[in-house]
Amino acid sequence: MPEYGGEKSHEPTYHRRQKAREEGHVARSHDFSSALLLVVGVVLLALLGDGMVQWTVRFAQRLWGSAIELQGDAAWAIQCWNGVCVELAKAVLPFLGLMMAAGVLVHLIQTGLLFTPQKLAPDLERIDPLQGMRRIFSFANLLRIVFGVFKIVIIGAIAWAALAAEWETILGLAGMELLQGAGYMAQIILSTTFKIALAMLILAILDYGYQKWRYEQDLKMTTQELREEMRNLEGDPHVIARRKAVQRQLALQRLSSAVPKADVVITNPTELAVALRYDPEEMAAPIVTAKGAGVIAERIRRLAREHDIPVVERKELARALYREVEVGQPIPEDKYAAVAEVLAYVYQLKGKPLPTPPSQAA
């Protein structure tokens, strides 16, 4: 990720998060993956280990429990080897398949579906000695070393406590039968390993929380980075401001030519303004020549006063016309009566004869 000077005080934008993900930068803890796989492995051994041991015993009895016919040709050796591989696959592949599925699932839990082919390209910065020294003596690497030593101490203490609780029984293994002693040792090993795996998983969850926090801190943006991103996504702010100014100027110019042709301006009274024009010889119904809100509405009212165009306050009618009718379009039929009333008032005010109203309003 690019770095710029300044304090990272802004939360990362969606675009920055997406770009970081596309480059392969995600919150990830290798300890979490290893610990969770270890827990899954121990559980699978506890569930499938007895069957694997029994298969091994039966296979050994079948292989060495009868007379062996040795032949010196390669075909016989290949046949024996293939038979051993097939039998071994039947016993081991379920365990290996479940472990592989667990490994994929663990990575999906952390990163989701992530495809980054650019990571396969050579990166010369990785072989830069100066960058390598900086990584080795960085604070993050020092913290990783301290955390690693802490994990070793915790794991060693758990292993010592688990074995110490069974120490007398372990010393008495010499008096047990071979299969009984082997079974008991397997139980101790699995139990101790499971406790260690749970401790590692708890520590790994803490490490993942730290990695997530650090990832969020790295993604934060300085003011300069935020400006650069906005410029890249939307263009130069100066150009955008200039474009808006030009658009505003064109809109005002259109108002300057459209409002003087209107017969009346309807307001609500300060927020909205709608200019109407009606010529019964050319139009079937009055049309909206200009409309606006806020500053534009004030501009319409000012132009109306400058050209002696009546300004009539009709709150509900102004809102309806502003919401429903675009500039250059005729008013809807359900507004004929209300607009005809306004036009009648205007023509009466000017002392002009009333124009012929639309047929629907007659």
Side-chain angles (χ1 to χ4, degrees):
M1 300 295 294
E3 296 291 341
Y4 297 91
E7 182 182 358
K8 293 188 173 184
S9 56
H10 300 281
E11 292 297 322
T13 61
Y14 171 79
H15 180 265
R16 183 174 177 90
R17 290 183 181 278
Q18 193 66 22
K19 184 179 179 181
R21 183 173 178 81
E22 291 174 355
E23 293 176 353
H25 298 285
V26 293
R28 181 187 309 170
S29 172
H30 296 288
D31 291 343
F32 179 78
S33 301
S34 302
L36 196 54
L37 281 177
L38 182 58
V39 171
V40 173
V42 173
V43 172
L44 289 178
L45 281 177
L47 296 176
L48 304 178
D50 186 58
M52 295 172 64
V53 171
Q54 291 180 7
W55 172 88
T56 303
V57 172
R58 289 195 303 268
F59 181 74
Q61 291 176 345
R62 186 171 66 252
L63 187 62
W64 294 307
S66 58
I68 301 177
E69 297 180 2
L70 297 178
Q71 301 182 21
D73 58 287
W76 178 84
I78 294 175
Q79 182 181 0
C80 290
W81 172 253
N82 291 339
V84 171
C85 290
V86 169
E87 293 294 330
L88 186 63
K90 291 180 181 178
V92 178
L93 280 183
F95 174 79
L96 295 180
L98 292 174
M99 286 297 296
M100 182 180 296
V104 174
L105 183 61
V106 166
H107 285 284
L108 287 178
I109 290 174
Q110 290 196 80
T111 64
L113 291 175
L114 189 63
F115 181 66
T116 54
Q118 64 272 18
K119 286 292 185 178
L120 299 177
D123 188 0
L124 296 180
E125 292 185 359
R126 291 293 180 180
I127 59 176
D128 185 356
L130 183 60
Q131 293 292 337
M133 293 295 291
R134 289 178 179 175
R135 285 194 296 269
I136 292 175
F137 295 101
S138 65
F139 175 77
N141 199 45
L142 177 62
L143 191 63
R144 190 179 298 111
I145 293 174
V146 172
F147 188 66
V149 173
F150 177 73
K151 286 194 299 182
I152 292 174
V153 173
I154 294 297
I155 292 171
I158 292 175
W160 179 84
L163 293 177
E166 304 288 341
W167 188 248
E168 294 183 0
T169 307
I170 293 175
L171 293 178
L173 288 176
M176 296 183 183
E177 296 182 358
L178 179 61
L179 291 180
Q180 183 182 5
Y184 185 75
M185 281 300 300
Q187 291 179 1
I188 293 178
I189 293 173
L190 279 177
S191 175
T192 304
T193 306
F194 186 71
K195 294 176 182 177
I196 293 174
L198 286 180
M200 291 180 60
L201 182 60
I202 294 174
L203 295 175
I205 292 174
L206 297 177
D207 179 64
Y208 179 74
Y210 168 75
Q211 296 297 335
K212 184 70 175 178
W213 173 83
R214 182 183 172 190
Y215 173 75
E216 292 294 331
Q217 295 301 311
D218 290 341
L219 280 185
K220 282 188 174 181
M221 307 173 69
T222 64
T223 302
Q224 181 63 26
E225 287 177 327
L226 188 60
R227 289 175 179 172
E228 289 289 338
E229 181 169 302
M230 297 301 295
R231 183 178 292 111
N232 293 333
L233 293 178
E234 301 181 4
D236 194 326
H238 299 289
V239 176
I240 295 174
R242 177 60 180 168
R243 187 185 303 120
K244 290 182 178 179
V246 172
Q247 292 173 350
R248 188 161 50 247
Q249 185 64 28
L250 291 175
L252 293 177
Q253 291 177 1
R254 287 194 296 268
L255 290 179
S256 300
S257 61
V259 174
K261 299 178 183 179
D263 294 312
V264 64
V265 172
I266 302 175
T267 66
N268 80 328
T270 58
E271 298 176 0
L272 302 176
V274 180
L276 297 178
R277 177 172 177 264
Y278 179 52
D279 186 350
E281 297 181 358
E282 299 179 0
M283 307 170 187
I287 65 171
V288 175
T289 60
K291 69 174 184 177
V295 177
I296 301 298
E298 175 60 29
R299 175 69 173 173
I300 293 174
R301 289 192 297 270
R302 186 166 62 250
L303 288 172
R305 289 191 296 267
E306 291 175 358
H307 293 84
D308 296 326
I309 298 173
V311 178
V312 180
E313 179 182 339
R314 294 289 189 275
K315 295 182 180 180
E316 296 300 328
L317 182 58
R319 293 194 189 105
L321 293 176
Y322 181 82
R323 183 176 60 250
E324 300 175 12
V325 188
E326 298 297 330
V327 175
Q329 293 182 351
I331 64 173
E333 295 182 5
D334 59 342
K335 301 298 185 295
Y336 280 176
V339 173
E341 180 185 349
V342 173
L343 289 176
Y345 167 75
V346 169
Y347 277 86
Q348 184 180 2
L349 189 65
K350 291 183 176 182
K352 295 181 179 182
L354 292 176
T356 303
S359 59
Q360 287 84 350

